[in-house]
Amino acid sequence: MTGLTLYTNPMSRGRIARWMLEEVGAEYDVEMLGYGGSMKADAYLALNPMGKVPAIVHDGRVVTECAAICAYLADAFPAAGLAPTAEERADYYRWMFFAAGPLEQAITNRSLGVTPSEDQQRIVGYGDYDRVVAVLEQAVSAHDYIAGDRFTAADVYVGSHVMWGTQFGTLPKLDPFMAYIGRLAARPAHVRASELDDAAVAEMQAA
């Protein structure tokens, strides 16, 4: 047993946390949870009352929410160099939480067929979907990585949204998005994490 455990399902946002763990090079244990079963069991609800994954437990401390997990692990394992420098910090937090807030809200509402009226756009906090996409396109076009010229934990989180969005059709395959994905997908930690989760999917399907 290590001091770090990932609670996940390979067909979930847990893939973001797995990628981040591989990036920091930490040793960790994995607890695979099933939807509607172990994910809703009392033992897991004691860790995350939301009954969703991912969650990590590090030396007895629980962290949920993918953006928080990415930021926490970058700080907990500073040798990996994925936390922001002073010059990167503003863009690092700005775009990580843009993805956790406006981007996720806009994509979710669009997937549900919810289109805010002009008056409602002031309430929802992101305006409209097209504005969010345009702002994200501008952000990934500014530098090679989301906080500058260097890969950080913010790229794990923002990059995962862009990868999945273009894969599943919730984001358009704009040239800046595809170029950004190309810089991220070949990272050894991303390749390792994807192989581990893909193998876990195959094992679950074969069971």
Side-chain angles (χ1 to χ4, degrees), residues 1-206:
M1 294 290 290
T2 69
L4 179 55
T5 301
L6 168 66
Y7 293 84
T8 188
N9 182 292
M11 294 179 284
S12 76
R13 290 175 176 83
R15 295 180 79 105
I16 301 174
R18 168 90 81 170
W19 178 12
M20 187 63 196
L21 285 163
E22 291 295 322
E23 287 285 356
V24 300
E27 292 187 10
Y28 62 96
D29 299 306
V30 178
E31 291 285 341
M32 288 291 177
L33 303 180
Y35 290 103
S38 50
M39 208 177 290
K40 306 301 182 185
D42 290 344
Y44 184 63
L45 291 175
L47 297 176
N48 186 2
M50 292 294 290
K52 64 185 184 70
V53 291
I56 63 169
V57 178
H58 182 214
D59 293 336
R61 294 181 291 273
V62 179
V63 187
T64 65
E65 314 314 317
C66 287
I69 290 171
C70 288
Y72 174 85
L73 289 172
D75 290 341
F77 297 91
L82 297 181
T85 64
E87 292 76 19
E88 296 164 339
R89 191 171 294 126
D91 282 340
Y92 175 93
Y93 285 113
R94 177 186 182 184
W95 298 116
M96 184 179 289
F97 292 106
F98 175 86
L103 178 59
E104 179 128 6
Q105 292 171 29
I107 287 175
T108 298
N109 279 352
R110 185 179 177 89
S111 298
L112 295 174
V114 176
T115 303
S117 67
E118 187 172 346
D119 287 341
Q120 290 172 330
Q121 289 175 20
R122 295 195 299 270
I123 299 170
V124 296
Y126 64 83
D128 62 23
Y129 172 86
D130 290 338
R131 183 182 305 176
V132 169
V133 171
V135 170
L136 180 63
E137 180 185 12
Q138 187 176 41
V140 303
S141 300
H143 311 281
D144 281 349
Y145 298 99
I146 201 65
D149 297 324
R150 188 180 69 93
F151 180 88
T152 67
D155 291 294
V156 174
Y157 189 70
V158 177
S160 293
H161 279 278
V162 177
M163 288 176 180
W164 290 345
T166 54
Q167 179 181 354
F168 295 111
T170 57
L171 286 174
K173 292 184 177 180
L174 302 176
D175 288 345
F177 291 165
M178 303 314 292
Y180 180 51
I181 290 170
R183 290 189 286 274
L184 303 182
R187 291 186 63 81
H190 181 268
V191 173
R192 285 196 308 273
S194 296
E195 289 175 347
L196 289 166
D197 278 325
D198 289 346
V201 170
E203 185 176 337
M204 291 174 69
Q205 291 175 340

